């Protein structure tokens, strides 16, 4: 039985898993953005803190997902919440790093011009720095999202549901149909999210910042 | 009117400005010039409080600027920088209208301003307002940079080497435009540059700075006529020399001369002339004062081996003193029977020699303003 037939026969199950997977991805990436973007802005103001904080976020990234889920299981129990906590931790670094570098790489002469013509700190941030860092920030979100789509399959282990459920069931029962029914949609989902975010990025980039066409 | 009173600034051990005091009258075009690190940009940035002094006060129209909120202050002072600094995420119109928008001008007002300003520099609104900076040439970008500084009609505009990165032709055009705009709108402009041509062309008053001090503050004409310091003269180079009045014999002489004591012997002197490829020697007394000259013909015809040259000295070479007017030295040279003029220091020691070659070189330098080797 191919995984497509399986999916057709178990539409409710597939839909549940898909929706749950999307929820896991969206919530954790959103939480990652809520933490990382302000933190990245903060670090761009206090650059001495940037290295330690970015290293810490990098350290989290190196802990294997299974270990993190294990720790979350011990301290936070099973279900969606612990899975979201773990996924959010993984979503942090790319967004944080890209926000920080996006802002710090804004041409210094622009900041000086902005200050010199009488913009306040907040105006410089919102009218100059963030618009110019936007494309870098969105790239960070894109990287995080693609990561999280794949990491979220692990969350099935923790009883959080999602496409990971199908994969783990398949692994446990030597059933390749289940594995494929989880793995292939999640791979497609990663591509679709990446493409969608790419479109958003294009729409949000003003003409002046796009490649100059001759 | 902008006044600096005893302004001092240092970064760590380095003193950037030393007790600086000066006053700029309203409506004047003032150029700050000097070698790198002289403090001219620091001075400029203090006017809009991008840099704060350690000591001293700065007043604009009698008002201590530290009593004004820096953001408010900067909105009343235009600012143009060398890197142009147009916001790439905004259109030309948005860039020009930045300050009027910060000041909450109604939309029709700032739109009218943008339109008028673009017309003023010959960039029609319809063609240019919706463009992004990346779609403009460097010269056009800096035009917009200047317009952005003018948009909220500030009485004072600060310009920090605004044309330094432009090609010479564009720079020339923009200099003319800015000068025209300044005259028309009666702005006080404080302009930093290290290019003396630019300073002489633009300024009503030039402030020449070095090592955090003002060496001279004067009109371009006055500075050309009476530079207060050798450094200023060297900055003016080619412009200076045109005013011939200040040239003296010293400017035309060569200082590498072959001297011999009057006790030197004949053969020794002939040998010296041969090795230096000259046909006469300058002879000095024991106390190093000038005694006269001796030529190769004279030594050949009258000299005897082993005799001192003291008796063969002639005095037909014209003599001038080092401070003498260049014109006098020139006339001497033209009528000189020997083809050269001896230049003496006030204490009668030899300072140098004016030959036709050294005269030609010096004239060339005076004319074209560069060292000729």
């Amino acid at each position: 039985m191919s995984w497509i037939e399986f999916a057709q026969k178990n539409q409710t199950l597939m839909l549940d898993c898909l929706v749950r997977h999307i929820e896991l991805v969206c919530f954790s990436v959103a939480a990652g953005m809520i933490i990382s973007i302000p933190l990245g802005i903060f670090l761009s103001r206090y650059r001495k803190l940037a290295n330690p904080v970015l290293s810490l976020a990098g350290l989290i990234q190196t802990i294997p997902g299974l270990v993190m889920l294990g720790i979350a299981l011990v301290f936070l129990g099973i279900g969606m919440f612990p899975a979201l906590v773990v996924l959010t931790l993984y979503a942090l670094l790319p967004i944080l790093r890209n926000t920080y570098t996006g802002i710090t790489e804004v041409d210094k002469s622009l900041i000086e011009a902005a200050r010199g013509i009488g913009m306040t700190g907040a105006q410089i941030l919102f009218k100059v720095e963030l618009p110019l860092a936007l494309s870098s920030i969105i790239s960070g979100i894109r990287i995080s999202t693609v990561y999280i789509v794949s990491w979220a399959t692990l969350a099935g282990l923790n009883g959080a549901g999602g496409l990971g459920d199908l994969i783990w069931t398949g692994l446990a029962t030597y059933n390749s149909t289940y594995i494929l029914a989880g793995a292939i949609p999640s791979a497609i989902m990663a591509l679709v999210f990446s493409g969608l975010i790419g479109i958003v990025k294009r729409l949000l980039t003003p003409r002046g910042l796009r490649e100059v066409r001759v | 009117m902008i006044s600096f009173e005893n302004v001092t600034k240092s970064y760590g051990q380095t003193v950037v400005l030393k007790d600086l005091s000066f006053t700029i009258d309203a409506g004047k075009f003032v150029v700050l010039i000097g070698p790198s690190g002289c403090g001219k940009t620091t001075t400029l940035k203090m006017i809009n409080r991008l840099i704060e002094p350690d000591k001293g006060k700065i007043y604009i129209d009698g008002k201590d600027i530290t009593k004004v909120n820096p953001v408010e202050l900067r909105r009343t002072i235009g600012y143009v920088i060398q890197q142009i600094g147009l916001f790439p995420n905004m259109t030309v119109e948005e860039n020009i209208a930045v300050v009027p928008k910060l000041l909450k001008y109604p939309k029709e007002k700032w739109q009218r301003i943008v339109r008028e300003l673009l017309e003023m520099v010959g960039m029609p609104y319809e063609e240019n307002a919706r463009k992004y900076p990346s779609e403009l040439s460097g010269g056009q970008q800096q035009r917009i940079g200047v317009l952005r500084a003018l948009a909220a009609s500030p009485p004072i505009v600060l310009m920090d080497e605004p044309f330094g990165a432009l090609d010479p032709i564009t720079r020339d055009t923009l200099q003319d435009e800015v000068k025209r705009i300044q005259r028309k709108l009666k702005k006080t402009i404080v302009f930093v540059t290290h290019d003396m041509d630019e300073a002489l062309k633009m300024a009503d008053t030039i402030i020449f700075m070095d090592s955090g001090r003002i060496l001279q503050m004067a009109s371009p004409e006055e500075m050309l006529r009476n530079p207060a310091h050798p450094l200023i003269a060297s900055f003016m180079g080619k412009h200076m020399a045109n005013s011939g009045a200040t040239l003296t014999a010293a400017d035309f002489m060569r200082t590498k001369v072959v001297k011999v004591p009057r006790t030197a012997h004949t053969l020794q002197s002939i040998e010296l002339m041969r090795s230096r490829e000259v046909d006469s020697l300058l002879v000095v007394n024991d106390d190093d004062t000038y005694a006269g000259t001796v030529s190769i013909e004279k030594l050949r015809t009258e000299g005897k081996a082993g005799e001192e040259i003291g008796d063969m000295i002639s005095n037909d070479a014209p003599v001038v003193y080092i401070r003498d007017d260049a014109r006098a030295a020139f006339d001497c040279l033209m009528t000189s029977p020997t083809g050269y003029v001896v230049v003496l220091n006030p204490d009668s020691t030899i300072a140098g020699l004016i030959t036709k070659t050294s005269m030609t070189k010096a004239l060339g330098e005076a004319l074209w303003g560069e060292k000729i080797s």
Side-chain angles (χ1 to χ4, degrees), chain A residues 2-205:
Chain A
S2 90
W3 71 273
I4 295 180
E5 282 171 47
F6 172 87
Q8 279 164 348
K9 281 184 190 154
N10 300 285
Q11 280 185 7
T12 343
L13 173 66
M14 282 303 291
L15 201 64
D16 277 354
C17 288
L18 262 178
V19 169
R20 174 51 63 88
H21 205 87
I22 291 170
E23 281 173 358
L24 283 169
V25 172
C26 289
F27 286 144
S28 53
V29 172
M33 284 163 62
I34 290 169
I35 297 168
S36 292
I37 294 175
L39 185 57
I41 294 168
F42 175 81
L43 292 182
S44 72
R45 297 308 190 250
Y46 299 93
R47 297 194 183 182
K48 279 187 190 143
L49 295 175
N51 246 328
V53 174
L54 286 171
S55 310
L56 185 70
L59 194 70
I60 296 173
Q61 211 77 2
T62 62
I63 303 172
L66 276 173
V67 174
M68 285 288 268
L69 278 169
I71 296 169
L73 191 70
V74 172
F75 289 101
L76 300 169
I78 56 165
M80 197 165 163
F81 179 69
L84 279 177
V85 171
V86 171
L87 292 177
T88 301
L89 284 174
Y90 284 114
L92 291 178
L93 180 69
I95 306 177
L96 180 63
R97 197 177 41 207
N98 279 36
T99 306
Y100 175 75
T101 51
I103 292 178
T104 49
E105 275 170 14
V106 171
D107 191 345
K108 292 212 173 33
S109 64
L110 290 178
I111 308 296
E112 199 202 301
R115 232 155 72 78
I117 63 175
M119 285 195 190
T120 61
Q123 284 164 338
I124 294 174
L125 178 65
F126 287 106
K127 286 179 192 287
V128 182
E129 290 178 299
L130 282 181
L132 294 176
L134 193 63
S135 111
S136 165
I137 297 174
I138 294 177
S139 297
I141 295 171
R142 191 179 188 170
I143 297 166
S144 278
T145 309
V146 173
Y147 274 154
I148 297 300
V149 170
S150 84
W151 287 111
T153 56
L154 283 176
L157 273 181
N158 211 357
L163 293 168
D165 256 4
L166 300 174
I167 296 172
W168 293 110
T169 310
L171 283 174
T173 58
Y174 297 105
N175 186 331
S176 63
T177 308
Y178 267 88
I179 297 176
L180 290 177
I184 291 174
S186 78
I188 294 170
M189 191 187 293
L191 291 174
V192 169
F193 272 127
S194 173
L196 285 176
I197 295 172
I199 292 169
V200 171
K201 179 173 158 180
R202 275 250 308 285
L203 291 177
L204 288 180
T205 309

